[in-house]
Amino acid sequence: MTNKEFYSQVQKDIVNYLPESLKDVTAELITVTKHNDTKQTGLKLIQENEKSSPLLYLEPYFERFEQGNSMESIMKDLAEAYQHTRETTIPMPEMDYDKIKERLAVQLVSIDHNKERLKDLLYKPLGNGFAFTYSIIQNVISGTDARLYITREMAANHHYDLKALSNDALTATAKRSPAIFADMESIMEEMTGQRERDSLPELTDELTFAESGEPMFVLSNPERVHGATCLYYPDAQEQIAKALGDSFYVLPSSVHEQIIVPEGKALSPEDLTQMVREVNDSQLSPDELLSYDVLHYDKDTKDLTIAGAKEKNLGTKDMEVR
């Protein structure tokens, strides 16, 4: 059975596994464009007179089917997941700006890898091939943010001031998930349980590693989710340079973190770029990839550019929200 045949079978049979009170639902299959223009198939179960309909992504269930799980057990689990999701589904938030302001968020994305997705989403180019997208944090379910991404149509319909939204979203994100900055050894100690979780230092003007012999550092947030965004927090680039006492290279490890290498301890830009390419192609899932380009930050000019680029790239101050 192919994945498409599996999805069709689920759509056809799911109602048979629901309780009598829910057998009036209509099952639809929809394709959702996610980060990096990856596609996922969702099962949407629509019940009359309900304002919101749960959406269950079917790829994990097809993987279980390929691993030998019976269709019967998968369908029962899907039915249970639907009932649970239906009970916890968050209604569409009120869209008045004053009510969403504190729940705004930004997420760093690659423009080249999100061309289709960015056709509809509100976004701000940042230079060097990156952009911010904007969303509203609705709630946290099972440790995962439920986000409503802001489209250009949505922003226009509610008459949002785009400049204010951009500034407020970045401020709220930095406050909600402050940047942490630590050497690679400390990160590994935390991952192996030798160091307590949440004990890594926040990136501040007072943080210093100038005398450290460490060649690599990690920039992320406490949740380690979309932590690559922290590079564009207010004053973050200057704070990193001050903490290191040096200019630095930025290796886009994933959407969740950036690896920072002091210029004086770095390999050549070509070698660093090759390192990023090898990790991206062998270690990351398509939706986790951020970029293949290594960036360089000059502590004296305060310019962030693609390492080895012949021309200077525009910075955030030159860009408008689109």
Side-chain angles (χ1 to χ4, degrees):
M1 186 184 294
T2 66
N3 59 343
K4 290 185 178 180
E5 290 171 337
F6 174 85
Y7 301 150
S8 295
Q9 190 70 40
V10 168
Q11 179 187 17
K12 177 183 176 182
D13 292 346
I14 185 63
V15 175
N16 298 330
Y17 290 84
L18 297 175
E20 282 298 325
S21 60
L22 297 177
K23 286 189 180 294
D24 61 340
V25 299
T26 301
E28 293 183 1
L29 293 178
I30 64 172
T31 300
V32 181
T33 302
K34 306 286 281 186
H35 182 72
N36 284 344
D37 286 346
T38 55
K39 307 289 187 182
Q40 285 189 264
T41 299
L43 176 69
K44 194 168 188 178
L45 298 172
I46 305 169
Q47 190 167 31
E48 191 176 356
N49 299 323
E50 286 198 346
K51 293 183 178 180
S52 56
S53 302
L55 181 66
L56 302 175
Y57 290 107
L58 296 181
E59 280 79 5
Y61 295 95
F62 180 65
E63 289 179 10
R64 287 177 50 190
F65 177 76
E66 288 190 308
Q67 293 166 359
N69 285 251
S70 70
M71 198 68 178
E72 180 82 8
S73 66
I74 290 173
M75 294 300 293
K76 288 180 178 178
D77 287 348
L78 265 168
E80 289 182 10
Y82 165 65
Q83 292 175 74
H84 173 73
T85 305
R86 182 174 175 273
E87 293 170 358
T88 57
T89 293
I90 304 161
M92 181 72 75
E94 293 187 63
M95 301 303 291
D96 180 77
Y97 189 75
D98 288 339
K99 294 181 179 179
I100 68 168
K101 180 178 176 181
E102 298 302 319
R103 294 185 288 117
L104 290 170
V106 295
Q107 179 181 334
L108 185 68
V109 301
S110 161
I111 293 176
D112 282 344
H113 295 152
N114 290 271
K115 288 180 179 177
E116 182 174 346
R117 192 163 171 254
L118 293 179
K119 289 178 182 178
D120 298 318
L121 292 186
L122 188 71
Y123 73 97
K124 178 181 179 179
L126 301 172
N128 301 310
F130 296 105
F132 275 155
T133 58
Y134 300 90
S135 59
I136 304 168
I137 302 294
Q138 294 179 262
N139 205 338
V140 176
I141 300 177
S142 301
T144 303
D145 285 340
R147 298 178 179 228
L148 175 66
Y149 282 90
I150 301 175
T151 64
R152 286 195 285 277
E153 181 181 12
M154 186 189 304
N157 288 343
H158 295 282
H159 308 290
Y160 293 153
D161 181 315
L162 300 188
K163 184 175 181 180
L165 184 149
S166 178
N167 292 335
D168 291 340
L170 184 57
T171 299
T173 303
K175 181 179 179 180
R176 187 186 308 113
S177 297
I180 60 169
F181 188 62
D183 58 75
M184 187 67 75
E185 182 179 355
S186 297
I187 295 290
M188 295 305 297
E189 288 176 352
E190 185 193 61
M191 292 176 62
T192 57
Q194 302 175 54
R195 185 187 184 104
E196 289 187 13
R197 183 80 175 178
D198 300 327
S199 65
L200 297 174
E202 288 187 15
L203 180 63
T204 65
D205 287 329
E206 289 72 37
L207 187 64
T208 179
F209 293 97
E211 304 301 321
S212 171
E214 291 293 330
M216 285 189 174
F217 297 80
V218 175
L219 176 71
S220 189
N221 57 26
E223 302 81 21
R224 310 298 196 275
V225 177
H226 301 307
T229 303
C230 296
L231 182 66
Y232 291 90
Y233 281 4
D235 303 320
Q237 295 165 24
E238 293 90 339
Q239 289 172 336
I240 294 171
K242 184 177 179 181
L244 299 177
D246 198 358
S247 300
F248 57 86
Y249 290 98
V250 182
L251 281 59
S253 177
S254 75
V255 296
H256 303 307
E257 64 184 20
Q258 308 266 19
I259 293 179
I260 307 297
V261 183
E263 186 178 73
K265 299 173 183 176
L267 301 172
S268 69
E270 294 76 17
D271 287 338
L272 292 176
T273 301
Q274 181 61 30
M275 184 187 307
V276 169
R277 181 166 294 278
E278 290 175 357
V279 172
N280 282 352
D281 292 343
S282 63
Q283 304 295 324
L284 298 183
S285 61
D287 63 323
E288 291 179 317
L289 189 146
L290 180 59
S291 173
Y292 286 99
D293 290 324
V294 172
L295 302 180
H296 176 264
Y297 180 79
D298 187 306
K299 67 180 179 63
D300 297 319
T301 64
K302 298 184 179 180
D303 288 330
L304 182 69
T305 58
I306 295 175
K310 295 181 180 180
E311 297 182 1
K312 178 180 175 181
N313 290 271
L314 293 175
T316 57
K317 295 180 181 179
D318 303 297
M319 302 295 188
E320 297 294 334
V321 182
R322 299 177 180 175

